[in-house]
Amino acid sequence: MTVLAVDIQKGITDERLHEFDSFIRNVAAIMDCARQNGVEVIHFQHDDGPGSGFSAGDADFEIATQAKALPGEKVFTKTMNSCFGNRDFARYLEEKGENSLMIIGLQTNFCIDATVKSAFERGYRVIVPQGANSTFDNDYMDKKTTYSYYNEMMWPGRFADCITTEQALSLLNAAQAKIHANVTSLRLRPFILSRDFDEIRNWITDERTHALWSANRIKYPLDKSSFADAMAELAEQCGDSPFVATDENDKPAGFFCYSLNHESGEGMLKFIMVNPTLRGQGLGKKMLRLALKYAFEISGAKAVHLNVFSQNVNAKRCYEGAGFAERNTSPGAFRYKDESWDRCNMIVHKAY
């Protein structure tokens, strides 16, 4: 993981920002935690060009005191909104072999948005801590509405994992403790409520992500009693069995449910999720391949299918990587607040 501190510069880091004081606290906490845990912090300064008052040599161009770079930390200059406009930076990340970026800084609707989407398009796991980006009022929306539009509607479930600052700090602490580092192998076993629930309950970080995962068939937020009820109902109605994919220490890294329709010979996977601290290691594909091995070789399925909302781009890409192909799509199959989501059915057939 690498933290990108974007454009926290003197000319725009002031009380005009949305929730300025908490923004500064959150940014400082994240950078401090990253440094303590050996996670690289990379800084960016936006340059509007000579004579703009916001260019190299101008006071406003300098990194704000509250977020200054420490000796040895990389500082890149950019002239366009996305940090990836700096080719030296893009090349550095590739050479580093990085796969996860935590993005903080300014401004929400300009350089943060552009960098989030550019990183997503390049295949990085993108993490955006709540309250660690901010912006000003503009001609079309006030600063609170602008912040909420991106952090609560635009990015979650599409381009980034939008998590709380506390969850971000936990991810950074895990990077040093190597609690979940470099899982080299996975095995499947039945899900055990008393043993596994407390591990998976925090994998879903917000209400929208929960809806993308479960279509709200399971109560949000997750609690042990309602989760047990949901699993029992699935078992009775559909014959579903819950599984976890575990690491070398039998610690859950992923979860899914599986059932077989004996008449059609099709198996079905539901409620697929992977521990968010492990993303970027290809574990989702590994777990799915184990699930398919079980489905074809143990349960006798001729094909396996699953449903995914088309808006859940990362999940759909993972399923395609595991061999699933789109069979059909039902437009507007699910409503989430004021959004209408398409449901895509994907299938993979047993190779004979």
Side-chain angles (χ1 to χ4, degrees), residues 110-167:
F110 293 109
C111 297
I112 299 300
D113 180 57
T115 301
V116 164
K117 292 173 180 174
S118 294
F120 170 79
E121 289 170 353
R122 287 165 171 79
Y124 292 99
R125 179 197 175 195
V126 181
I127 302 160
V128 179
Q130 295 171 6
N133 65 86
S134 188
T135 193
F136 305 120
D137 291 332
N138 60 64
D139 291 340
Y140 300 94
M141 291 188 287
D142 62 61
K143 55 192 177 184
K144 181 180 185 301
T145 302
T146 304
Y147 171 86
S148 299
Y149 175 80
Y150 288 94
N151 285 269
E152 298 173 15
M153 195 284 285
M154 176 59 70
W155 298 331
R158 292 185 178 91
F159 302 103
D161 294 330
C162 295
I163 63 178
T164 66
T165 298
E166 290 72 23
Q167 289 169 327

Side-chain angles (χ1 to χ4, degrees), residues 64-245:
T65 304
Q66 303 97 318
K68 64 182 180 180
L70 297 185
E73 292 181 342
K74 287 182 169 53
V75 180
F76 290 96
T77 298
K78 62 185 183 64
T79 57
M80 58 181 64
N81 283 355
S82 172
C83 293
F84 289 89
N86 185 307
R87 295 183 180 180
D88 291 336
F89 163 69
R91 189 179 305 112
Y92 172 73
L93 278 191
E94 291 177 5
E95 293 173 351
K96 183 182 178 183
E98 185 57 83
N99 52 44
S100 297
L101 302 176
M102 184 176 291
I103 300 175
I104 62 176
L106 302 170
Q107 296 180 56
T108 303
N109 48 326
F110 293 109
C111 297
I112 299 300
D113 180 57
T115 301
V116 164
K117 292 173 180 174
S118 294
F120 170 79
E121 289 170 353
R122 287 165 171 79
Y124 292 99
R125 179 197 175 195
V126 181
I127 302 160
V128 179
Q130 295 171 6
N133 65 86
S134 188
T135 193
F136 305 120
D137 291 332
N138 60 64
D139 291 340
Y140 300 94
M141 291 188 287
D142 62 61
K143 55 192 177 184
K144 181 180 185 301
T145 302
T146 304
Y147 171 86
S148 299
Y149 175 80
Y150 288 94
N151 285 269
E152 298 173 15
M153 195 284 285
M154 176 59 70
W155 298 331
R158 292 185 178 91
F159 302 103
D161 294 330
C162 295
I163 63 178
T164 66
T165 298
E166 290 72 23
Q167 289 169 327
L169 298 178
S170 295
L171 286 180
L172 294 169
N173 285 323
Q176 170 64 18
K178 299 189 182 299
I179 295 172
H180 299 300
N182 299 322
V183 176
T184 57
S185 64
L186 291 176
R187 60 182 288 271
L188 295 184
R189 65 165 172 79
F191 170 79
I192 303 170
L193 184 71
S194 61
R195 183 173 167 184
D196 300 322
F197 178 77
D198 287 340
E199 179 66 25
I200 73 169
R201 69 185 304 168
N202 295 317
W203 292 358
I204 302 297
T205 55
D206 60 80
E207 187 176 358
R208 189 174 188 275
T209 300
H210 179 89
L212 285 169
W213 168 64
S214 70
N216 287 342
R217 293 182 64 185
I218 299 176
K219 181 181 175 182
Y220 177 83
L222 293 182
D223 67 77
K224 186 175 289 187
S225 176
S226 62
F227 192 80
D229 290 344
M231 292 299 102
E233 184 177 347
L234 280 169
E236 181 178 352
Q237 294 181 354
C238 309
D240 277 79
S241 297
F243 291 86
V244 285

Side-chain angles (χ1 to χ4, degrees), residues 218-333:
I218 299 176
K219 181 181 175 182
Y220 177 83
L222 293 182
D223 67 77
K224 186 175 289 187
S225 176
S226 62
F227 192 80
D229 290 344
M231 292 299 102
E233 184 177 347
L234 280 169
E236 181 178 352
Q237 294 181 354
C238 309
D240 277 79
S241 297
F243 291 86
V244 285
T246 62
D247 64 14
E248 300 90 338
N249 300 311
D250 200 40
K251 194 176 187 68
F255 173 90
F256 65 89
C257 290
Y258 174 76
S259 61
L260 176 67
N261 183 318
H262 293 278
E263 292 183 5
S264 67
E266 285 190 4
M268 185 173 188
L269 294 171
K270 305 184 185 82
F271 305 117
I272 302 163
M273 62 175 167
V274 172
N275 185 336
T277 68
L278 295 174
R279 290 176 188 161
Q281 299 184 42
L283 296 182
K285 294 177 186 177
K286 290 180 182 178
M287 180 177 73
L288 287 169
R289 289 175 184 137
L290 288 175
L292 292 175
K293 184 178 178 68
Y294 172 86
F296 293 141
E297 298 182 10
I298 305 299
S299 78
K302 298 176 182 178
V304 176
H305 71 111
L306 55 80
N307 290 323
V308 60
F309 292 120
S310 299
Q311 288 74 10
N312 197 350
V313 179
N314 285 334
K316 189 175 181 183
R317 182 185 295 170
C318 175
Y319 303 153
E320 290 170 343
F324 286 85
E326 183 174 339
R327 178 161 60 174
N328 58 66
T329 295
S330 302

